[in-house]
Amino acid sequence: MTAQHESPVARFTGDASPYGGGDPYADYRTADFPFTRYANLADRQLGAGVIAANDEFFAQRENLLVPERAEFDPERFGHKGKIMDGWETRRRRGASAEHPWPTAEDHDWALVRLGAPGVVRGIVVDTAHFRGNYPQAVSVEGVSVPGSPSPEELLSDDVKWTTLVPRTAVGGHAANGFDVALEQRFTHLRVNQHPDGGIARLRVHGEVVPDPEWLSVLGTFDVVALENGGQAEDASNLFYSPATNTIQPGRSRAMHECWETRRRRDTGHDWIRYRLVARSEIRAIEIDTAYLKGNSAGWASVSVRDTETGDWTDILPRTRLQPDTNHRFVLPTPTVGTHARVDIFPDGGISRLRLFGSLTEEGMAELRGRLREVEG
């Protein structure tokens, strides 16, 4: 079964011009989508994956979640045809010579496991470089299933899917964006293309909603981590990379996985403000500058506040940082807060911030209430 939901139409429709040489992105159609300020829940680094597709004859389903933008090589062909950087299915056909066209119901699908369960705020279905072979329309459905269900379990008749994006015409060689206004937690999505064609990339922007019982069992955990429900709310500078990089899982593996600011030519400094998963007691800090060698921050400080309007309190005074190094600090006194801020001096970057602690009773109650709200 599928529940219905109204969603705005995509920003673009219709064909793109055939590739005429030069920069293939010169005529790419895109826009600023407000929902992209939220983290990508379909990020491979978070643990997302494309676990099944009914067809991937021309190009593999896994390409949908590649973090880099899609590339195009006009000279690259294989035994099955043009090699595309995306997910591309074969051309659908009708049942007979009398009716060689696909039916209105014919479509291809891919199942996506989100890296962290959460509330979806917006979706980008990117058809970059698919100019004459993009789908006529797309739709996206979601479901929340505990554990690690198999594709067969997700596709069973007793699973109820909810429509996030109704069947909507899209454009070729374009970033087709859709706002989603459902206050509902999802673990998996089903992306449909009608009737067939290719999609280069899928981005699913939203807010992580963790399982409070799992966090409670962990005891001490990273209370600002993206996978646990933390958020990078604002930052002074995002010139080279997003602030969300600092709360991604694992250590950075390259400089582009860090947060780096432009070079300052004044006496100011840069900062990131975070919202913790919920009200927490913080007991230890890690600031990692991995892969930032000539451009790591010189010094850093960390402060927290309790509630949206509380005063900021330093829990780590301004401290010298070393390049390409993980710095660890045990707090002399645990500190309770709902928000945190890292200030770097004067500029540069850090790769990760970890705040280790545990939920307070109020924080646990808040998370349990939030989960009830979005699970119905």
Side-chain angles (χ1 to χ4, degrees):
M1 295 179 63
T2 302
Q4 295 297 314
H5 165 62
E6 293 296 327
S7 178
V9 299
R11 300 293 181 94
F12 310 102
T13 56
D15 294 332
S17 300
Y19 175 62
D23 179 8
Y25 274 101
D27 61 339
Y28 175 69
R29 294 174 288 177
T30 187
D32 290 328
F33 301 115
F35 56 72
T36 58
R37 68 184 180 89
Y38 295 100
N40 177 20
L41 302 182
D43 191 336
R44 281 289 302 170
Q45 198 170 354
L46 263 182
V50 187
I51 62 175
N54 71 309
D55 188 288
E56 47 187 328
F57 185 85
F58 287 113
Q60 295 174 324
R61 66 183 190 262
E62 288 86 357
N63 289 333
L64 282 172
L65 305 189
V66 170
E68 294 79 21
R69 72 176 188 173
E71 299 298 328
F72 179 72
D73 182 350
E75 306 299 327
R76 194 177 181 205
F77 286 83
H79 294 293
K80 295 181 180 180
K82 182 74 187 73
I83 296 176
M84 297 294 292
D85 185 5
W87 167 49
E88 185 181 5
T89 66
R90 73 191 76 203
R91 297 182 187 226
R92 282 185 169 268
R93 298 294 187 236
S96 66
E98 289 70 31
H99 200 286
W101 309 280
T103 68
E105 291 75 31
D106 285 342
H107 68 279
D108 292 316
W109 53 263
L111 293 179
V112 177
R113 180 191 64 242
L114 297 180
V119 175
V120 177
R121 300 302 183 192
I123 296 173
V124 177
V125 178
D126 190 345
T127 57
H129 314 303
F130 288 95
R131 297 169 179 268
N133 51 350
Y134 64 94
Q136 181 186 35
V138 299
S139 61
V140 183
E141 302 159 286
V143 71
S144 183
V145 179
S148 304
S150 67
E152 293 74 21
E153 290 170 322
L154 290 169
L155 295 170
S156 66
D157 291 338
D158 59 346
V159 172
K160 181 180 178 181
W161 291 83
T162 298
T163 299
L164 281 73
V165 178
R167 182 170 176 169
T168 306
V170 294
H173 196 44
N176 300 279
F178 304 89
D179 291 303
V180 178
L182 283 172
E183 284 296 318
Q184 189 170 337
R185 182 179 187 258
F186 296 104
T187 61
H188 296 76
L189 300 186
R190 182 164 61 188
V191 181
N192 305 302
Q193 44 181 340
H194 308 268
D196 54 40
I199 298 170
R201 298 289 188 266
L202 176 74
R203 304 291 185 244
V204 183
H205 297 277
E207 300 177 71
V208 175
V209 180
D211 179 356
E213 305 311 319
W214 172 254
L215 297 180
S216 177
V217 168
L218 292 180
T220 297
F221 62 94
D222 184 359
V223 299
V224 75
L226 177 61
E227 62 187 319
N228 294 332
Q231 289 186 33
E233 290 189 318
D234 199 6
S236 60
N237 188 274
L238 302 172
F239 187 83
Y240 287 112
S241 44
T244 300
N245 280 357
T246 61
I247 54 175
Q248 288 279 8
R251 300 194 74 194
S252 62
R253 298 162 296 178
M255 197 169 68
H256 71 271
E257 295 183 356
C258 306
W259 171 61
E260 182 190 357
T261 71
R262 72 173 77 206
R263 298 190 186 206
R264 279 189 170 268
R265 305 305 186 194
D266 57 24
T267 57
H269 72 281
D270 290 310
W271 51 267
I272 304 174
R273 187 181 74 242
Y274 305 91
R275 189 178 76 190
L276 307 185
V277 54
R279 193 166 190 257
S280 304
E281 183 180 78
I282 302 167
R283 293 186 287 275
I285 300 171
E286 281 189 4
I287 300 177
D288 196 355
T289 58
Y291 285 94
L292 293 165
K293 299 180 179 181
N295 48 8
S296 68
W299 292 262
S301 64
V302 178
S303 54
V304 300
R305 71 182 183 191
D306 197 11
T307 74
E308 291 277 357
T309 58
D311 294 329
W312 291 101
T313 301
D314 284 343
I315 59 173
L316 179 71
R318 192 178 305 186
T319 302
R320 189 74 167 95
L321 299 182
Q322 300 300 321
D324 196 26
T325 300
N326 192 26
H327 309 76
R328 291 178 171 173
F329 310 94
V330 176
L331 301 186
T333 304
T335 302
V336 171
T338 57
H339 295 73
R341 173 175 166 139
V342 61
D343 292 81
I344 64 170
F345 303 87
D347 57 16
I350 61 173
S351 60
R352 297 291 187 270
L353 174 71
R354 307 294 188 210
L355 302 178
F356 294 103
S358 54
L359 294 172
T360 64
E361 290 185 7
E362 298 92 338
M364 177 59 73
E366 175 191 340
L367 275 192
R368 286 172 174 159
R370 177 64 172 148
L371 190 59
R372 285 193 296 270
E373 287 176 0
V374 297
E375 287 200 328

